[in-house]
Amino acid sequence: MLNGQKRWLYIAVPIFFFWFFGQIDKVGISIIQTDPEFLHALGITGDDKNAKIGLLSFVFTIAYGVSNLFWGFIIDKLGARKTAIAGLFVWTLTMITSGLANSYEMFLISRIILGFGEGMMIPVSGKFISNWFNKRELGRAQASWLTGNYLGPAMGAIFLVLVISLLHWQAAFFMLAAFNLFINIPMFIFMTRNTPEEHPWISKEELAFIRQTDDEVTETARSENKSFAQDYRFWIVWFGMLVCSFLFFGISIWLPTYLIEAKGFEKEGMSSITSLSWLFALGFVLACGFLADKTRRPSLMATILFSLTAVFLTVAVFIPNPILAGLCMGLAMGCQGGVFHLSNMLMVKYSTPETAGRAAGLIGFTNIMGGFSSYIMGWLRDLSGGDFSSSIAMLIFTAFLGLAAYLFSIKRESAELRLSPIPVQKIQA
């Protein structure tokens, strides 16, 4: 059944679990920070409690964003396989250290190291996908990590609440370490190789398909995209990703706390809406991937998604029903999941295979804004006595910045579509 399709087993499956568990490691803190025992054990109390909580995500995303700039060079030296294995060992150690932390400072340092270790996730995934898949199936291959990116936190939210309720917040970190040690690391050791040429179980026929290229399309793409840095549209995408990271991390990190402290949810209700919010993000990713191929208007779609984000956040502020307010926050987060997917598609469009690594590093660097968002939201909460209104107002204003940026690329996108219209049979397909 897998004849000629083994790349999907040996590469796509490990990458999926790479992101599935990696994202639980990354955003699990949003669930754990709602546990009073965790806050008390690390001394996260007092008038600056929310700023301290925000700082945990701030230092992580700073380390994560900055490390994206140079992980590509390390991967070129060691290869994606060794880099992934080394990074997973770092995650495992930081999860154990986090579970053993008995002070705020010790836990803070573990988050910095985790951010540095996880900073190689995008370059590693990009390197594997570039080496292992035919150019015509890059979209489907990319979906393997994007699905894990959102499905992991969706299921992880329920899992972490259950573990904390039945055991202890420390057990959550130890279990996350075990997932890496017994699932992720063995997968990369035994299933992956840097290239299909190195893998003993890849047939010559499958290798020939992977390396098959359309010379005419490749030459056209290279002539049109000699330097992404000279294309103003790439910088619109880059700025849009700054805004997207600010919004996505701000909402996702504080959503569980918002549901419990601002809307009065119990932990079970909080975990359900948090999980649903990550599924919203996955749904927007899948829908945007389909619609972008059909309409060839990704910039227009990003503009619409930023508009919807502002609308959903505004409704969340004014609507009295807590369930609807929580769902609106989740839908706003989902919209930004769609923007993230569109940004990665546009990054590939405006770069070439030779420059895609540097372009991806610059896009990955934008995650640094998530740290500023989580910290500023905590600081604003402390200033307003724990109220979320000023924080959400800031997010609404930020969404309009993303909307304004993409307006500058819509006209050129429309002109390109007129010059190369979508075939009628493709629309009907």
Side-chain angles (χ1 to χ4, degrees), residues 6 17 61 79 134 147-148 163 195 201 215 301 322 343 373 403 412:
K6 290 182 179 179
F17 284 104
T61 51
N134 184 278
T147 303
V163 170
T195 65
W201 298 325
D215 294 334
M301 291 174 61
S343 299
S373 176
L403 164 65
R412 184 166 174 179

Side-chain angles (χ1 to χ4, degrees), residues 82-335:
K82 288 183 179 179
T83 304
I85 294 168
L88 286 165
F89 273 113
V90 172
W91 300 0
T92 304
L93 291 174
T94 54
M95 289 295 103
I96 295 172
T97 304
S98 297
L100 296 174
N102 55 14
S103 70
Y104 179 75
E105 291 74 19
M106 182 179 177
F107 191 84
L108 200 67
I109 292 171
S110 73
R111 299 302 293 178
I112 296 173
I113 298 173
L114 178 65
F116 179 82
E118 288 197 355
M120 52 75 180
M121 292 179 72
I122 292 176
V124 161
S125 302
K127 192 77 169 180
F128 270 126
I129 289 172
S130 177
N131 285 339
W132 273 84
F133 293 91
N134 184 278
K135 301 301 179 185
R136 288 174 290 178
E137 57 186 9
L138 291 181
R140 283 181 293 153
Q142 188 183 45
S144 64
W145 70 267
L146 286 171
T147 303
N149 187 47
Y150 298 110
L151 192 60
M155 299 180 66
I158 298 173
F159 167 77
L160 290 172
V161 168
L162 185 63
V163 170
I164 293 172
S165 300
L166 296 178
L167 300 172
H168 195 269
W169 64 269
Q170 293 169 315
F173 287 107
F174 296 147
M175 286 191 177
L176 291 174
F179 290 144
N180 278 334
L181 192 59
F182 297 111
I183 298 177
N184 273 339
I185 292 175
M187 276 190 169
F188 278 95
I189 291 175
F190 297 110
M191 295 177 67
T192 68
R193 297 293 185 273
N194 288 324
T195 65
E197 287 85 353
E198 299 174 22
H199 208 293
W201 298 325
I202 296 298
S203 66
K204 292 181 179 179
E205 292 77 15
E206 184 167 2
L207 178 60
F209 173 76
I210 293 171
R211 297 296 176 234
Q212 182 183 6
T213 59
D214 186 334
D215 294 334
E216 182 180 349
V217 172
T218 301
E219 283 301 316
T220 301
R222 287 180 179 176
S223 64
E224 290 180 352
N225 298 299
K226 289 182 179 179
S227 176
F228 68 87
Q230 296 176 357
D231 193 332
Y232 76 93
R233 293 173 300 173
F234 173 83
W235 295 108
I236 289 175
V237 174
W238 185 82
F239 179 80
M241 270 299 294
L242 282 178
V243 174
C244 177
S245 296
F246 193 90
L247 289 166
F248 190 86
F249 278 95
I251 298 172
S252 63
I253 293 298
W254 283 102
L255 180 60
T257 304
Y258 167 82
L259 294 172
I260 289 176
E261 297 187 8
K263 296 301 176 182
F265 281 87
E266 297 295 331
K267 285 195 174 183
E268 292 75 13
M270 175 273 289
S271 65
S272 297
I273 291 186
T274 300
S275 178
L276 187 60
S277 299
W278 285 98
L279 292 177
F280 284 155
L282 177 59
F284 274 98
V285 164
L286 297 176
C288 287
F290 174 79
L291 292 174
D293 286 341
K294 287 292 183 182
T295 65
R296 286 164 49 188
R297 297 299 303 270
S299 293
L300 176 60
M301 291 174 61
T303 306
I304 294 171
L305 289 173
F306 276 120
S307 303
L308 289 174
T309 299
V311 170
F312 286 132
L313 289 173
T314 302
V315 172
V317 171
F318 291 103
I319 197 166
N321 188 294
I323 294 178
L324 292 179
L327 290 176
C328 283
M329 291 290 287
L331 286 168
M333 189 176 105
C335 287

Side-chain angles (χ1 to χ4, degrees), residues 387-422:
D387 187 69
F388 273 94
S389 297
S390 57
S391 298
I392 297 177
M394 175 190 67
L395 295 179
I396 294 170
F397 173 78
T398 306
F400 280 112
L401 293 179
L403 164 65
Y406 268 98
L407 288 175
F408 289 98
S409 63
I410 289 179
K411 185 176 180 181
R412 184 166 174 179
E413 184 179 75
S414 177
E416 289 177 347
L417 189 60
R418 286 196 297 270
L419 291 174
S420 180
I422 304 172

